């Protein structure tokens, strides 16, 4: 039944956080108020904006200065919809739980919290009969969670391949176009404002891993937390790796890979973040600079790609406001929208069980029997070779490039260790997984 007060008055919206995203949300709520009211069926009334520092000059924002408060805990008790864009685990978690307990629906962009402790929040939303929406948590403006949760609800999603971190895509793209090394490009990215002063969360893959956990949970109806995600960042990617990819007509991307593996009773999920070579002909290869994209493979739909801006105030606010309109409509009409589900409860496989392909570049001695020894190392680990290319270099040495067929990651990794230990191998110059072909 529709709440009587809601049927008569505006929907009260509280905003927690007024940084880059919060400022855009506050501005859009104010300047688009008439359209939002028409779309929701009731006006959205911004009843407060929780900030850390009360005295800061925010005169550029088109909102009543009286709305700013440092008492977020009190604010969440007097709202119908709470927007959380503070980020981080604490105090965001307690504020969201309190908001839900007080009957508010919550819209959040907090990927770290959802990936670490999503089930606590989903359970609280269920108990309260409230919505918990988080489209902005993955890939900024790109509508990807609602399509996976709702549009593909009748299909069987097999794989999600995402470029979900703009900072690392910018860095890898620059390395590809300029031939520069990682450290040099990160400095440039920092100067341009693409990378944070401390870029760890991005370049070590933590941000992408949180997003992978959220994508996999929705795609496979299974609880996946950031601790379940195998994570490798891009700090070890060298100019030699980028050149090796170019030589293969490939490009290196940091991918969030969520995959259903096995058949019948043996189905599981593999969720991982690591750099990988993809062919330049793959749609994800054309994702340049700081853009994001998510490529979805579903049994009936086939291949789908979602592309756009993955960060920034206005793009992220667009996703937040889309969720605000959705949950506000549910408040007006009564009931809740579709939430996450974990009914499939599939096992999350260890990285060693993931089936991948490797590109391996080796410096070897150029003499009889070398190729045979290299081939034996692959055969002994039950890894099948797809292609081998040899280039003679200086001083009786050769560069061997081997691309494998698909094999368990543990077998591929053990093969690389065995190759590195061979006397005839001077150096393993590049090892990179291959995806998308
Ligand atoms: N730091 C992220 C990125 C944006 O570089 O894409 C927020 O998730």
């Amino acid at each position: 039944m529709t709440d009587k007060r809601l049927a008569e008055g505006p929907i009260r919206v509280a905003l927690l956080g007024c940084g880059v995203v919060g400022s855009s949300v506050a501005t859009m709520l104010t300047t688009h108020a008439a359209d939002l009211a028409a779309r929701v069926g009731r006006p959205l009334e911004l009843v407060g904006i929780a900030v850390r520092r009360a005295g800061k000059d925010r005169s550029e924002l088109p909102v009543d200065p009286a709305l700013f408060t440092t008492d977020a805990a009190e604010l969440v008790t007097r709202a119908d919809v709470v927007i959380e864009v503070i980020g981080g685990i604490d105090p965001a978690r307690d504020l969201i739980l309190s908001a839900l307990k007080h009957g508010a629906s919550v819209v959040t962009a907090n990927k770290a919290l959802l990936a670490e402790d999503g089930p606590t929040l989903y359970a609280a939303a269920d108990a309260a009969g409230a919505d918990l929406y988080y489209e902005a948590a993955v890939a900024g403006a790109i509508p990807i969670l609602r399509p996976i949760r709702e549009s593909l609800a009748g299909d069987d999603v097999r794989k999600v391949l995402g470029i979900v971190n703009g900072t690392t895509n910018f860095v890898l793209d620059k390395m590809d176009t300029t031939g520069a090394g990682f450290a040099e490009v990160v400095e440039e990215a920092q100067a341009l404002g693409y990378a944070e002063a401390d870029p760890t969360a991005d370049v070590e893959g933590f941000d992408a891993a949180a997003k992978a956990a959220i994508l996999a949970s929705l795609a496979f109806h299974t609880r996946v937390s950031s601790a379940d995600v195998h994570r490798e960042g891009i700090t070890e990617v060298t100019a030699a790796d980028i050149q090796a990819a170019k030589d293969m007509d490939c490009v290196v991307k940091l991918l969030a890979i969520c995959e259903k593996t096995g058949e019948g009773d043996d189905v599981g999920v593999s969720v991982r973040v690591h750099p990988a070579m993809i062919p330049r002909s793959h749609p994800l290869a054309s994702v340049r600079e700081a853009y994001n994209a998510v490529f979805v493979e579903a049994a009936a739909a086939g291949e789908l790609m979602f592309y756009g801006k993955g960060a920034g105030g206005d793009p992220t606010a667009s996703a937040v406001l889309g969720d605000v309109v959705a949950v506000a409509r549910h408040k007006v009409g009564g009931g809740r929208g579709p939430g996450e589900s974990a009914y499939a409860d599939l096992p999350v496989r260890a990285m060693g069980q993931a089936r991948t392909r490797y590109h391996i570049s080796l410096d070897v001695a150029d003499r009889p029997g070398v190729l045979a020894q290299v081939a034996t190392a692959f055969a002994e680990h039950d890894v099948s070779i797809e292609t081998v290319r040899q280039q003679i270099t200086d001083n009786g040495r050769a560069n061997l490039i081997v691309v494998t067929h698909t094999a368990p990651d543990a077998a591929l990794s053990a093969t690389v260790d065995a190759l590195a230990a061979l006397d005839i191998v001077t150096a393993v110059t590049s090892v990179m997984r291959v995806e998308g072909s």
Side-chain angles (χ1 to χ4, degrees):
M1 200 177 89
T2 306
D3 181 310
K4 187 158 176 290
R5 188 193 51 73
L6 283 176
E8 289 164 357
I11 294 199
R12 300 164 302 168
V13 178
L15 175 61
L16 311 183
C18 198
V20 176
V21 176
S23 297
S24 288
V25 169
T27 302
M28 285 172 69
L29 272 172
T30 310
T31 56
H32 300 179
D35 283 325
L36 293 172
R39 292 169 196 174
V40 168
R42 297 279 165 217
L44 299 179
E45 183 193 355
L46 187 55
V47 293
I49 305 174
V51 292
R52 238 188 341 219
R53 281 184 297 139
K56 192 173 162 191
D57 178 17
R58 298 184 177 88
S59 53
E60 80 287 0
L61 291 180
V63 296
D64 180 351
L67 291 177
F68 293 105
T69 172
T70 52
D71 194 349
E74 183 275 331
L75 177 58
V76 301
T77 66
R78 54 181 172 90
D80 304 302
V81 175
V82 171
I83 303 168
E84 185 274 308
V85 286
I86 303 172
I89 308 299
D90 296 313
R93 175 170 34 206
D94 285 348
L95 291 169
I96 290 175
L97 291 174
S98 171
L100 292 167
K101 206 168 151 203
H102 282 89
S105 285
V106 171
V107 173
T108 176
N110 196 329
K111 68 215 130 212
L113 177 56
L114 289 161
E116 182 177 303
D117 199 16
T120 302
L121 304 184
Y122 308 142
D126 283 345
D131 284 323
L132 173 66
Y133 273 31
Y134 45 90
E135 182 66 64
V138 179
I142 304 174
I144 181 62
L145 301 188
R146 191 173 279 110
I148 289 178
R149 190 181 59 219
E150 295 174 39
S151 316
L152 292 168
D155 208 331
D156 176 20
V157 176
R158 305 293 311 183
K159 188 165 184 174
V160 180
L161 271 183
I163 295 173
V164 291
N165 183 271
T167 305
T168 47
N169 202 54
F170 179 88
V171 170
L172 292 171
D173 184 44
K174 278 277 177 229
M175 288 174 75
D176 181 62
T177 51
T178 65
F182 170 78
E184 187 185 330
V185 177
V186 167
E187 267 179 39
E188 185 190 342
Q190 285 169 322
L192 291 170
Y194 284 110
E196 307 271 347
D198 176 0
T200 310
D202 294 317
V203 299
E204 296 288 4
F206 290 101
D207 176 78
K211 292 166 179 169
I214 295 168
L215 285 168
S217 300
L218 285 175
F220 307 132
H221 303 274
T222 289
R223 297 245 149 104
V224 180
S225 77
S226 35
D228 297 320
V229 181
H230 173 84
R231 176 190 54 77
E232 293 169 34
I234 64 164
T235 53
E236 309 283 314
V237 176
T238 63
D241 293 326
I242 301 282
Q243 186 56 48
K246 275 189 181 167
D247 293 343
M248 299 280 298
D249 208 20
C250 285
V251 62
V252 177
K253 296 290 186 190
L254 182 71
L255 296 181
I257 303 166
C258 315
E259 193 169 21
K260 207 182 247 186
T261 62
E263 297 294 334
D265 290 343
D266 190 36
V267 177
V269 299
S270 165
V271 191
R272 53 194 199 266
V273 167
H274 56 70
M277 287 186 187
I278 53 171
R280 282 192 194 260
S281 55
H282 192 283
L284 286 175
S286 62
V287 179
R288 305 282 310 277
E289 300 183 335
Y291 277 84
N292 282 195
V294 184
F295 190 79
V296 179
E297 295 173 24
E303 296 176 345
L304 305 161
M305 182 146 120
F306 303 80
Y307 169 86
K309 288 187 177 159
D314 286 352
T316 308
S318 165
V320 168
L321 263 292
D323 278 352
V324 169
V325 168
V327 304
R329 281 174 175 159
H330 302 155
K331 287 268 178 200
V332 170
R336 311 165 68 196
E340 58 82 50
S341 86
Y343 78 88
D345 197 20
L346 298 173
V348 182
R349 305 282 188 223
M351 183 61 194
Q353 293 174 278
R355 294 191 65 81
T356 59
R357 294 168 64 215
Y358 272 29
H359 167 287
I360 303 164
S361 176
L362 306 168
D363 276 345
V364 296
D366 181 19
R367 60 169 192 260
V370 166
L371 213 47
Q373 284 193 56
V374 168
T376 301
F378 282 89
E380 281 175 352
H381 292 89
D382 206 19
V383 173
S384 175
I385 293 173
E386 183 182 298
T387 60
V388 184
R389 203 174 65 188
Q390 175 173 290
Q391 274 177 325
I392 305 305
T393 53
D394 297 334
N395 306 325
R397 309 213 61 80
N399 177 239
L400 269 187
I401 295 166
V402 182
V403 180
T404 73
H405 282 295
T406 304
D409 198 80
L412 289 159
S413 166
T415 307
V416 172
D417 290 345
L419 290 167
L422 290 176
D423 288 345
I424 45 110
V425 173
T426 326
V428 179
T429 52
S430 170
V431 178
M432 185 76 60
R433 296 185 183 93
V434 182
E435 279 290 333
S437 60

